[in-house]
PDB file of all heavy atoms in Angstrom:
ATOM      1  N   SER A   1      15.621 -13.146 -21.253  1.00 97.00           N
ATOM      2  CA  SER A   1      14.614 -14.160 -20.994  1.00 97.00           C
ATOM      3  C   SER A   1      15.225 -15.326 -20.230  1.00 97.00           C
ATOM      4  O   SER A   1      16.437 -15.419 -20.058  1.00 97.00           O
ATOM      5  CB  SER A   1      14.006 -14.652 -22.311  1.00 97.00           C
ATOM      6  OG  SER A   1      14.921 -15.469 -23.013  1.00 97.00           O
ATOM      7  N   SER A   2      14.373 -16.239 -19.778  1.00 94.00           N
ATOM      8  CA  SER A   2      14.860 -17.410 -19.065  1.00 94.00           C
ATOM      9  C   SER A   2      15.729 -18.303 -19.943  1.00 94.00           C
ATOM     10  O   SER A   2      16.572 -19.046 -19.433  1.00 94.00           O
ATOM     11  CB  SER A   2      13.688 -18.223 -18.503  1.00 94.00           C
ATOM     12  OG  SER A   2      12.825 -18.656 -19.544  1.00 94.00           O
ATOM     13  N   ALA A   3      15.531 -18.216 -21.250  1.00 93.00           N
ATOM     14  CA  ALA A   3      16.332 -18.985 -22.202  1.00 93.00           C
ATOM     15  C   ALA A   3      17.621 -18.281 -22.596  1.00 93.00           C
ATOM     16  O   ALA A   3      18.439 -18.869 -23.304  1.00 93.00           O
ATOM     17  CB  ALA A   3      15.511 -19.302 -23.440  1.00 93.00           C
ATOM     18  N   GLY A   4      17.790 -17.025 -22.182  1.00 94.00           N
ATOM     19  CA  GLY A   4      19.004 -16.296 -22.489  1.00 94.00           C
ATOM     20  C   GLY A   4      18.908 -15.324 -23.642  1.00 94.00           C
ATOM     21  O   GLY A   4      19.926 -14.741 -24.032  1.00 94.00           O
ATOM     22  N   ASN A   5      17.728 -15.120 -24.194  1.00 97.00           N
ATOM     23  CA  ASN A   5      17.557 -14.130 -25.253  1.00 97.00           C
ATOM     24  C   ASN A   5      17.636 -12.726 -24.661  1.00 97.00           C
ATOM     25  O   ASN A   5      17.025 -12.447 -23.629  1.00 97.00           O
ATOM     26  CB  ASN A   5      16.219 -14.320 -25.961  1.00 97.00           C
ATOM     27  CG  ASN A   5      16.061 -15.707 -26.538  1.00 97.00           C
ATOM     28  OD1 ASN A   5      15.163 -16.458 -26.168  1.00 97.00           O
ATOM     29  ND2 ASN A   5      16.947 -16.060 -27.462  1.00 97.00           N
ATOM     30  N   THR A   6      18.370 -11.833 -25.314  1.00 98.00           N
ATOM     31  CA  THR A   6      18.633 -10.507 -24.770  1.00 98.00           C
ATOM     32  C   THR A   6      18.122  -9.402 -25.672  1.00 98.00           C
ATOM     33  O   THR A   6      17.951  -9.577 -26.884  1.00 98.00           O
ATOM     34  CB  THR A   6      20.133 -10.298 -24.538  1.00 98.00           C
ATOM     35  OG1 THR A   6      20.833 -10.437 -25.784  1.00 98.00           O
ATOM     36  CG2 THR A   6      20.670 -11.322 -23.555  1.00 98.00           C
ATOM     37  N   ASP A   7      17.898  -8.242 -25.057  1.00 98.00           N
ATOM     38  CA  ASP A   7      17.503  -7.038 -25.770  1.00 98.00           C
ATOM     39  C   ASP A   7      18.130  -5.858 -25.052  1.00 98.00           C
ATOM     40  O   ASP A   7      18.214  -5.854 -23.820  1.00 98.00           O
ATOM     41  CB  ASP A   7      15.983  -6.916 -25.810  1.00 98.00           C
ATOM     42  CG  ASP A   7      15.508  -5.950 -26.880  1.00 98.00           C
ATOM     43  OD1 ASP A   7      16.288  -5.603 -27.780  1.00 98.00           O
ATOM     44  OD2 ASP A   7      14.327  -5.545 -26.819  1.00 98.00           O
ATOM     45  N   TYR A   8      18.576  -4.842 -25.814  1.00 98.00           N
ATOM     46  CA  TYR A   8      19.299  -3.714 -25.249  1.00 98.00           C
ATOM     47  C   TYR A   8      18.759  -2.391 -25.760  1.00 98.00           C
ATOM     48  O   TYR A   8      18.316  -2.274 -26.905  1.00 98.00           O
ATOM     49  CB  TYR A   8      20.784  -3.772 -25.603  1.00 98.00           C
ATOM     50  CG  TYR A   8      21.523  -4.951 -25.031  1.00 98.00           C
ATOM     51  CD1 TYR A   8      21.639  -6.136 -25.747  1.00 98.00           C
ATOM     52  CD2 TYR A   8      22.119  -4.874 -23.781  1.00 98.00           C
ATOM     53  CE1 TYR A   8      22.323  -7.217 -25.225  1.00 98.00           C
ATOM     54  CE2 TYR A   8      22.805  -5.951 -23.250  1.00 98.00           C
ATOM     55  CZ  TYR A   8      22.907  -7.121 -23.981  1.00 98.00           C
ATOM     56  OH  TYR A   8      23.593  -8.195 -23.467  1.00 98.00           O
ATOM     57  N   GLN A   9      18.835  -1.384 -24.911  1.00 97.00           N
ATOM     58  CA  GLN A   9      18.637  -0.021 -25.332  1.00 97.00           C
ATOM     59  C   GLN A   9      19.782   0.357 -26.273  1.00 97.00           C
ATOM     60  O   GLN A   9      20.930  -0.030 -26.053  1.00 97.00           O
ATOM     61  CB  GLN A   9      18.614   0.901 -24.115  1.00 97.00           C
ATOM     62  CG  GLN A   9      18.377   2.361 -24.418  1.00 97.00           C
ATOM     63  CD  GLN A   9      18.256   3.168 -23.154  1.00 97.00           C
ATOM     64  OE1 GLN A   9      17.194   3.206 -22.531  1.00 97.00           O
ATOM     65  NE2 GLN A   9      19.350   3.823 -22.766  1.00 97.00           N
ATOM     66  N   ASP A  10      19.462   1.116 -27.316  1.00 97.00           N
ATOM     67  CA  ASP A  10      20.460   1.435 -28.337  1.00 97.00           C
ATOM     68  C   ASP A  10      21.706   2.107 -27.758  1.00 97.00           C
ATOM     69  O   ASP A  10      22.824   1.854 -28.228  1.00 97.00           O
ATOM     70  CB  ASP A  10      19.855   2.335 -29.413  1.00 97.00           C
ATOM     71  CG  ASP A  10      18.911   1.601 -30.337  1.00 97.00           C
ATOM     72  OD1 ASP A  10      18.948   0.350 -30.361  1.00 97.00           O
ATOM     73  OD2 ASP A  10      18.135   2.269 -31.039  1.00 97.00           O
ATOM     74  N   SER A  11      21.546   2.940 -26.762  1.00 96.00           N
ATOM     75  CA  SER A  11      22.664   3.707 -26.229  1.00 96.00           C
ATOM     76  C   SER A  11      23.709   2.855 -25.516  1.00 96.00           C
ATOM     77  O   SER A  11      24.826   3.321 -25.286  1.00 96.00           O
ATOM     78  CB  SER A  11      22.162   4.792 -25.277  1.00 96.00           C
ATOM     79  OG  SER A  11      21.558   4.224 -24.127  1.00 96.00           O
ATOM     80  N   VAL A  12      23.371   1.612 -25.172  1.00 97.00           N
ATOM     81  CA  VAL A  12      24.317   0.752 -24.455  1.00 97.00           C
ATOM     82  C   VAL A  12      24.779  -0.436 -25.278  1.00 97.00           C
ATOM     83  O   VAL A  12      25.640  -1.198 -24.814  1.00 97.00           O
ATOM     84  CB  VAL A  12      23.738   0.259 -23.110  1.00 97.00           C
ATOM     85  CG1 VAL A  12      23.246   1.432 -22.278  1.00 97.00           C
ATOM     86  CG2 VAL A  12      22.623  -0.751 -23.333  1.00 97.00           C
ATOM     87  N   LYS A  13      24.255  -0.599 -26.470  1.00 97.00           N
ATOM     88  CA  LYS A  13      24.659  -1.718 -27.314  1.00 97.00           C
ATOM     89  C   LYS A  13      26.150  -1.649 -27.621  1.00 97.00           C
ATOM     90  O   LYS A  13      26.675  -0.597 -27.954  1.00 97.00           O
ATOM     91  CB  LYS A  13      23.862  -1.728 -28.619  1.00 97.00           C
ATOM     92  CG  LYS A  13      22.427  -2.169 -28.457  1.00 97.00           C
ATOM     93  CD  LYS A  13      21.701  -2.198 -29.798  1.00 97.00           C
ATOM     94  CE  LYS A  13      20.276  -2.695 -29.640  1.00 97.00           C
ATOM     95  NZ  LYS A  13      19.552  -2.688 -30.933  1.00 97.00           N
ATOM     96  N   GLY A  14      26.811  -2.783 -27.488  1.00 97.00           N
ATOM     97  CA  GLY A  14      28.239  -2.845 -27.712  1.00 97.00           C
ATOM     98  C   GLY A  14      29.066  -2.513 -26.498  1.00 97.00           C
ATOM     99  O   GLY A  14      30.286  -2.735 -26.510  1.00 97.00           O
ATOM    100  N   ARG A  15      28.442  -1.969 -25.455  1.00 98.00           N
ATOM    101  CA  ARG A  15      29.160  -1.624 -24.232  1.00 98.00           C
ATOM    102  C   ARG A  15      28.693  -2.442 -23.026  1.00 98.00           C
ATOM    103  O   ARG A  15      29.497  -2.813 -22.176  1.00 98.00           O
ATOM    104  CB  ARG A  15      28.992  -0.140 -23.914  1.00 98.00           C
ATOM    105  CG  ARG A  15      29.527   0.794 -24.988  1.00 98.00           C
ATOM    106  CD  ARG A  15      29.533   2.244 -24.518  1.00 98.00           C
ATOM    107  NE  ARG A  15      28.188   2.727 -24.221  1.00 98.00           N
ATOM    108  CZ  ARG A  15      27.799   3.191 -23.031  1.00 98.00           C
ATOM    109  NH1 ARG A  15      28.661   3.243 -22.018  1.00 98.00           N
ATOM    110  NH2 ARG A  15      26.557   3.631 -22.855  1.00 98.00           N
ATOM    111  N   PHE A  16      27.392  -2.695 -22.947  1.00 98.00           N
ATOM    112  CA  PHE A  16      26.816  -3.425 -21.814  1.00 98.00           C
ATOM    113  C   PHE A  16      26.437  -4.837 -22.235  1.00 98.00           C
ATOM    114  O   PHE A  16      26.023  -5.068 -23.374  1.00 98.00           O
ATOM    115  CB  PHE A  16      25.560  -2.731 -21.293  1.00 98.00           C
ATOM    116  CG  PHE A  16      25.789  -1.415 -20.603  1.00 98.00           C
ATOM    117  CD1 PHE A  16      27.016  -0.775 -20.641  1.00 98.00           C
ATOM    118  CD2 PHE A  16      24.749  -0.817 -19.914  1.00 98.00           C
ATOM    119  CE1 PHE A  16      27.211   0.441 -20.006  1.00 98.00           C
ATOM    120  CE2 PHE A  16      24.924   0.395 -19.272  1.00 98.00           C
ATOM    121  CZ  PHE A  16      26.160   1.024 -19.317  1.00 98.00           C
ATOM    122  N   THR A  17      26.534  -5.767 -21.300  1.00 98.00           N
ATOM    123  CA  THR A  17      26.113  -7.144 -21.530  1.00 98.00           C
ATOM    124  C   THR A  17      25.291  -7.634 -20.349  1.00 98.00           C
ATOM    125  O   THR A  17      25.756  -7.585 -19.207  1.00 98.00           O
ATOM    126  CB  THR A  17      27.311  -8.080 -21.737  1.00 98.00           C
ATOM    127  OG1 THR A  17      28.102  -7.628 -22.835  1.00 98.00           O
ATOM    128  CG2 THR A  17      26.831  -9.505 -22.029  1.00 98.00           C
ATOM    129  N   ILE A  18      24.074  -8.103 -20.613  1.00 98.00           N
ATOM    130  CA  ILE A  18      23.244  -8.687 -19.573  1.00 98.00           C
ATOM    131  C   ILE A  18      23.375 -10.207 -19.632  1.00 98.00           C
ATOM    132  O   ILE A  18      23.459 -10.792 -20.709  1.00 98.00           O
ATOM    133  CB  ILE A  18      21.769  -8.247 -19.712  1.00 98.00           C
ATOM    134  CG1 ILE A  18      20.952  -8.681 -18.492  1.00 98.00           C
ATOM    135  CG2 ILE A  18      21.157  -8.744 -21.004  1.00 98.00           C
ATOM    136  CD1 ILE A  18      19.547  -8.087 -18.454  1.00 98.00           C
ATOM    137  N   SER A  19      23.413 -10.833 -18.471  1.00 98.00           N
ATOM    138  CA  SER A  19      23.507 -12.285 -18.389  1.00 98.00           C
ATOM    139  C   SER A  19      22.783 -12.749 -17.130  1.00 98.00           C
ATOM    140  O   SER A  19      22.413 -11.937 -16.281  1.00 98.00           O
ATOM    141  CB  SER A  19      24.966 -12.752 -18.384  1.00 98.00           C
ATOM    142  OG  SER A  19      25.661 -12.235 -17.266  1.00 98.00           O
ATOM    143  N   ARG A  20      22.581 -14.057 -17.015  1.00 97.00           N
ATOM    144  CA  ARG A  20      21.910 -14.583 -15.825  1.00 97.00           C
ATOM    145  C   ARG A  20      22.416 -15.977 -15.500  1.00 97.00           C
ATOM    146  O   ARG A  20      22.885 -16.710 -16.370  1.00 97.00           O
ATOM    147  CB  ARG A  20      20.387 -14.597 -16.003  1.00 97.00           C
ATOM    148  CG  ARG A  20      19.882 -15.523 -17.098  1.00 97.00           C
ATOM    149  CD  ARG A  20      18.402 -15.276 -17.392  1.00 97.00           C
ATOM    150  NE  ARG A  20      17.530 -15.788 -16.344  1.00 97.00           N
ATOM    151  CZ  ARG A  20      16.223 -15.548 -16.271  1.00 97.00           C
ATOM    152  NH1 ARG A  20      15.643 -14.761 -17.172  1.00 97.00           N
ATOM    153  NH2 ARG A  20      15.501 -16.073 -15.282  1.00 97.00           N
ATOM    154  N   ASP A  21      22.309 -16.321 -14.233  1.00 96.00           N
ATOM    155  CA  ASP A  21      22.617 -17.647 -13.735  1.00 96.00           C
ATOM    156  C   ASP A  21      21.327 -18.175 -13.124  1.00 96.00           C
ATOM    157  O   ASP A  21      20.954 -17.791 -12.008  1.00 96.00           O
ATOM    158  CB  ASP A  21      23.742 -17.592 -12.704  1.00 96.00           C
ATOM    159  CG  ASP A  21      24.182 -18.962 -12.238  1.00 96.00           C
ATOM    160  OD1 ASP A  21      23.399 -19.927 -12.338  1.00 96.00           O
ATOM    161  OD2 ASP A  21      25.330 -19.078 -11.763  1.00 96.00           O
ATOM    162  N   ASN A  22      20.633 -19.030 -13.841  1.00 93.00           N
ATOM    163  CA  ASN A  22      19.331 -19.508 -13.387  1.00 93.00           C
ATOM    164  C   ASN A  22      19.420 -20.331 -12.099  1.00 93.00           C
ATOM    165  O   ASN A  22      18.497 -20.323 -11.288  1.00 93.00           O
ATOM    166  CB  ASN A  22      18.659 -20.320 -14.488  1.00 93.00           C
ATOM    167  CG  ASN A  22      18.232 -19.465 -15.665  1.00 93.00           C
ATOM    168  OD1 ASN A  22      17.956 -18.270 -15.515  1.00 93.00           O
ATOM    169  ND2 ASN A  22      18.171 -20.060 -16.844  1.00 93.00           N
ATOM    170  N   ALA A  23      20.519 -21.050 -11.917  1.00 93.00           N
ATOM    171  CA  ALA A  23      20.695 -21.846 -10.708  1.00 93.00           C
ATOM    172  C   ALA A  23      20.798 -20.968  -9.464  1.00 93.00           C
ATOM    173  O   ALA A  23      20.461 -21.401  -8.363  1.00 93.00           O
ATOM    174  CB  ALA A  23      21.930 -22.730 -10.827  1.00 93.00           C
ATOM    175  N   LYS A  24      21.275 -19.733  -9.638  1.00 95.00           N
ATOM    176  CA  LYS A  24      21.434 -18.804  -8.522  1.00 95.00           C
ATOM    177  C   LYS A  24      20.359 -17.724  -8.491  1.00 95.00           C
ATOM    178  O   LYS A  24      20.395 -16.849  -7.620  1.00 95.00           O
ATOM    179  CB  LYS A  24      22.807 -18.138  -8.584  1.00 95.00           C
ATOM    180  CG  LYS A  24      23.971 -19.095  -8.448  1.00 95.00           C
ATOM    181  CD  LYS A  24      25.300 -18.352  -8.532  1.00 95.00           C
ATOM    182  CE  LYS A  24      26.473 -19.304  -8.370  1.00 95.00           C
ATOM    183  NZ  LYS A  24      27.775 -18.590  -8.466  1.00 95.00           N
ATOM    184  N   ASN A  25      19.419 -17.770  -9.435  1.00 96.00           N
ATOM    185  CA  ASN A  25      18.388 -16.738  -9.551  1.00 96.00           C
ATOM    186  C   ASN A  25      19.000 -15.336  -9.570  1.00 96.00           C
ATOM    187  O   ASN A  25      18.512 -14.415  -8.918  1.00 96.00           O
ATOM    188  CB  ASN A  25      17.368 -16.849  -8.414  1.00 96.00           C
ATOM    189  CG  ASN A  25      16.465 -18.051  -8.557  1.00 96.00           C
ATOM    190  OD1 ASN A  25      16.201 -18.525  -9.661  1.00 96.00           O
ATOM    191  ND2 ASN A  25      15.965 -18.551  -7.428  1.00 96.00           N
ATOM    192  N   THR A  26      20.052 -15.196 -10.341  1.00 97.00           N
ATOM    193  CA  THR A  26      20.821 -13.961 -10.358  1.00 97.00           C
ATOM    194  C   THR A  26      20.973 -13.433 -11.780  1.00 97.00           C
ATOM    195  O   THR A  26      21.203 -14.207 -12.712  1.00 97.00           O
ATOM    196  CB  THR A  26      22.209 -14.176  -9.742  1.00 97.00           C
ATOM    197  OG1 THR A  26      22.060 -14.600  -8.377  1.00 97.00           O
ATOM    198  CG2 THR A  26      23.027 -12.899  -9.768  1.00 97.00           C
ATOM    199  N   VAL A  27      20.838 -12.125 -11.924  1.00 97.00           N
ATOM    200  CA  VAL A  27      21.056 -11.454 -13.199  1.00 97.00           C
ATOM    201  C   VAL A  27      22.210 -10.470 -13.027  1.00 97.00           C
ATOM    202  O   VAL A  27      22.372  -9.868 -11.964  1.00 97.00           O
ATOM    203  CB  VAL A  27      19.781 -10.747 -13.695  1.00 97.00           C
ATOM    204  CG1 VAL A  27      19.344  -9.644 -12.741  1.00 97.00           C
ATOM    205  CG2 VAL A  27      19.973 -10.199 -15.108  1.00 97.00           C
ATOM    206  N   TYR A  28      23.006 -10.318 -14.080  1.00 98.00           N
ATOM    207  CA  TYR A  28      24.174  -9.456 -14.052  1.00 98.00           C
ATOM    208  C   TYR A  28      24.087  -8.419 -15.167  1.00 98.00           C
ATOM    209  O   TYR A  28      23.437  -8.630 -16.183  1.00 98.00           O
ATOM    210  CB  TYR A  28      25.457 -10.262 -14.249  1.00 98.00           C
ATOM    211  CG  TYR A  28      25.639 -11.397 -13.276  1.00 98.00           C
ATOM    212  CD1 TYR A  28      25.208 -12.688 -13.597  1.00 98.00           C
ATOM    213  CD2 TYR A  28      26.238 -11.198 -12.039  1.00 98.00           C
ATOM    214  CE1 TYR A  28      25.369 -13.732 -12.714  1.00 98.00           C
ATOM    215  CE2 TYR A  28      26.405 -12.244 -11.149  1.00 98.00           C
ATOM    216  CZ  TYR A  28      25.972 -13.506 -11.485  1.00 98.00           C
ATOM    217  OH  TYR A  28      26.135 -14.540 -10.604  1.00 98.00           O
ATOM    218  N   LEU A  29      24.771  -7.316 -14.960  1.00 98.00           N
ATOM    219  CA  LEU A  29      24.949  -6.327 -16.015  1.00 98.00           C
ATOM    220  C   LEU A  29      26.412  -5.915 -16.032  1.00 98.00           C
ATOM    221  O   LEU A  29      26.879  -5.225 -15.128  1.00 98.00           O
ATOM    222  CB  LEU A  29      24.060  -5.103 -15.801  1.00 98.00           C
ATOM    223  CG  LEU A  29      24.079  -4.077 -16.937  1.00 98.00           C
ATOM    224  CD1 LEU A  29      23.436  -4.658 -18.196  1.00 98.00           C
ATOM    225  CD2 LEU A  29      23.370  -2.790 -16.521  1.00 98.00           C
ATOM    226  N   GLN A  30      27.131  -6.375 -17.044  1.00 98.00           N
ATOM    227  CA  GLN A  30      28.518  -5.973 -17.242  1.00 98.00           C
ATOM    228  C   GLN A  30      28.521  -4.679 -18.041  1.00 98.00           C
ATOM    229  O   GLN A  30      28.018  -4.641 -19.165  1.00 98.00           O
ATOM    230  CB  GLN A  30      29.293  -7.060 -17.981  1.00 98.00           C
ATOM    231  CG  GLN A  30      30.750  -6.711 -18.267  1.00 98.00           C
ATOM    232  CD  GLN A  30      31.582  -6.596 -17.016  1.00 98.00           C
ATOM    233  OE1 GLN A  30      31.509  -7.456 -16.147  1.00 98.00           O
ATOM    234  NE2 GLN A  30      32.362  -5.533 -16.907  1.00 98.00           N
ATOM    235  N   MET A  31      29.101  -3.639 -17.476  1.00 98.00           N
ATOM    236  CA  MET A  31      29.111  -2.322 -18.094  1.00 98.00           C
ATOM    237  C   MET A  31      30.549  -1.939 -18.409  1.00 98.00           C
ATOM    238  O   MET A  31      31.373  -1.797 -17.503  1.00 98.00           O
ATOM    239  CB  MET A  31      28.469  -1.288 -17.175  1.00 98.00           C
ATOM    240  CG  MET A  31      27.047  -1.643 -16.765  1.00 98.00           C
ATOM    241  SD  MET A  31      26.263  -0.342 -15.772  1.00 98.00           S
ATOM    242  CE  MET A  31      27.292  -0.417 -14.299  1.00 98.00           C
ATOM    243  N   ASN A  32      30.842  -1.757 -19.686  1.00 98.00           N
ATOM    244  CA  ASN A  32      32.174  -1.376 -20.146  1.00 98.00           C
ATOM    245  C   ASN A  32      32.119  -0.023 -20.843  1.00 98.00           C
ATOM    246  O   ASN A  32      31.067   0.424 -21.295  1.00 98.00           O
ATOM    247  CB  ASN A  32      32.736  -2.425 -21.103  1.00 98.00           C
ATOM    248  CG  ASN A  32      32.900  -3.786 -20.466  1.00 98.00           C
ATOM    249  OD1 ASN A  32      33.252  -3.900 -19.298  1.00 98.00           O
ATOM    250  ND2 ASN A  32      32.653  -4.840 -21.249  1.00 98.00           N
ATOM    251  N   ILE A  33      33.275   0.602 -20.968  1.00 98.00           N
ATOM    252  CA  ILE A  33      33.420   1.903 -21.624  1.00 98.00           C
ATOM    253  C   ILE A  33      32.359   2.863 -21.090  1.00 98.00           C
ATOM    254  O   ILE A  33      31.614   3.493 -21.842  1.00 98.00           O
ATOM    255  CB  ILE A  33      33.332   1.776 -23.159  1.00 98.00           C
ATOM    256  CG1 ILE A  33      34.069   0.533 -23.658  1.00 98.00           C
ATOM    257  CG2 ILE A  33      33.929   3.018 -23.839  1.00 98.00           C
ATOM    258  CD1 ILE A  33      33.938   0.271 -25.137  1.00 98.00           C
ATOM    259  N   LEU A  34      32.299   2.973 -19.791  1.00 98.00           N
ATOM    260  CA  LEU A  34      31.288   3.791 -19.150  1.00 98.00           C
ATOM    261  C   LEU A  34      31.476   5.268 -19.484  1.00 98.00           C
ATOM    262  O   LEU A  34      32.605   5.755 -19.614  1.00 98.00           O
ATOM    263  CB  LEU A  34      31.312   3.592 -17.641  1.00 98.00           C
ATOM    264  CG  LEU A  34      30.651   2.300 -17.167  1.00 98.00           C
ATOM    265  CD1 LEU A  34      31.092   1.950 -15.759  1.00 98.00           C
ATOM    266  CD2 LEU A  34      29.133   2.429 -17.238  1.00 98.00           C
ATOM    267  N   LYS A  35      30.355   5.956 -19.622  1.00 97.00           N
ATOM    268  CA  LYS A  35      30.322   7.369 -19.958  1.00 97.00           C
ATOM    269  C   LYS A  35      29.602   8.135 -18.855  1.00 97.00           C
ATOM    270  O   LYS A  35      28.777   7.573 -18.144  1.00 97.00           O
ATOM    271  CB  LYS A  35      29.590   7.583 -21.286  1.00 97.00           C
ATOM    272  CG  LYS A  35      30.150   6.804 -22.458  1.00 97.00           C
ATOM    273  CD  LYS A  35      29.282   6.978 -23.694  1.00 97.00           C
ATOM    274  CE  LYS A  35      29.832   6.197 -24.873  1.00 97.00           C
ATOM    275  NZ  LYS A  35      28.975   6.350 -26.074  1.00 97.00           N
ATOM    276  N   PRO A  36      29.889   9.436 -18.716  1.00 97.00           N
ATOM    277  CA  PRO A  36      29.182  10.220 -17.697  1.00 97.00           C
ATOM    278  C   PRO A  36      27.659  10.144 -17.831  1.00 97.00           C
ATOM    279  O   PRO A  36      26.955  10.173 -16.812  1.00 97.00           O
ATOM    280  CB  PRO A  36      29.692  11.643 -17.936  1.00 97.00           C
ATOM    281  CG  PRO A  36      31.068  11.443 -18.466  1.00 97.00           C
ATOM    282  CD  PRO A  36      30.966  10.220 -19.347  1.00 97.00           C
ATOM    283  N   GLU A  37      27.147  10.028 -19.040  1.00 96.00           N
ATOM    284  CA  GLU A  37      25.706   9.940 -19.234  1.00 96.00           C
ATOM    285  C   GLU A  37      25.107   8.618 -18.761  1.00 96.00           C
ATOM    286  O   GLU A  37      23.885   8.466 -18.736  1.00 96.00           O
ATOM    287  CB  GLU A  37      25.329  10.186 -20.702  1.00 96.00           C
ATOM    288  CG  GLU A  37      26.110   9.341 -21.688  1.00 96.00           C
ATOM    289  CD  GLU A  37      27.280  10.089 -22.303  1.00 96.00           C
ATOM    290  OE1 GLU A  37      28.008  10.774 -21.547  1.00 96.00           O
ATOM    291  OE2 GLU A  37      27.469  10.001 -23.529  1.00 96.00           O
ATOM    292  N   ASP A  38      25.954   7.655 -18.390  1.00 97.00           N
ATOM    293  CA  ASP A  38      25.471   6.414 -17.787  1.00 97.00           C
ATOM    294  C   ASP A  38      25.167   6.585 -16.302  1.00 97.00           C
ATOM    295  O   ASP A  38      24.617   5.667 -15.682  1.00 97.00           O
ATOM    296  CB  ASP A  38      26.492   5.294 -17.956  1.00 97.00           C
ATOM    297  CG  ASP A  38      26.704   4.897 -19.407  1.00 97.00           C
ATOM    298  OD1 ASP A  38      25.711   4.819 -20.159  1.00 97.00           O
ATOM    299  OD2 ASP A  38      27.869   4.664 -19.790  1.00 97.00           O
ATOM    300  N   THR A  39      25.532   7.711 -15.729  1.00 98.00           N
ATOM    301  CA  THR A  39      25.292   7.963 -14.314  1.00 98.00           C
ATOM    302  C   THR A  39      23.801   7.911 -14.007  1.00 98.00           C
ATOM    303  O   THR A  39      23.004   8.621 -14.621  1.00 98.00           O
ATOM    304  CB  THR A  39      25.859   9.325 -13.904  1.00 98.00           C
ATOM    305  OG1 THR A  39      27.281   9.307 -14.053  1.00 98.00           O
ATOM    306  CG2 THR A  39      25.514   9.654 -12.458  1.00 98.00           C
ATOM    307  N   ALA A  40      23.424   7.055 -13.061  1.00 98.00           N
ATOM    308  CA  ALA A  40      22.024   6.858 -12.716  1.00 98.00           C
ATOM    309  C   ALA A  40      21.930   5.862 -11.570  1.00 98.00           C
ATOM    310  O   ALA A  40      22.916   5.212 -11.210  1.00 98.00           O
ATOM    311  CB  ALA A  40      21.234   6.330 -13.914  1.00 98.00           C
TER     312      ALA A  40
END
């Protein structure tokens, strides 16, 4: 959300982190411990 509240699909919890920079109108997705099933 614009306030920074996050929600995740269960399969990526603990591995992925979503964040945003409101001043830059930019959203990020940090993906760690990537698995072949993340291919998409």
Side-chain angles (χ1 to χ4, degrees):
S1 73
S2 60
N5 303 119
T6 60
D7 198 16
Y8 296 91
Q9 181 175 279
D10 286 343
S11 65
V12 307
K13 287 182 178 178
R15 299 189 298 121
F16 291 11
T17 302
I18 189 171
S19 61
R20 64 191 286 171
D21 185 337
N22 291 333
K24 297 179 179 179
N25 288 332
T26 299
V27 63
Y28 305 93
L29 186 67
Q30 178 66 47
M31 303 184 294
N32 298 323
I33 320 175
L34 282 162
K35 304 175 180 179
E37 51 262 45
D38 295 319
T39 296

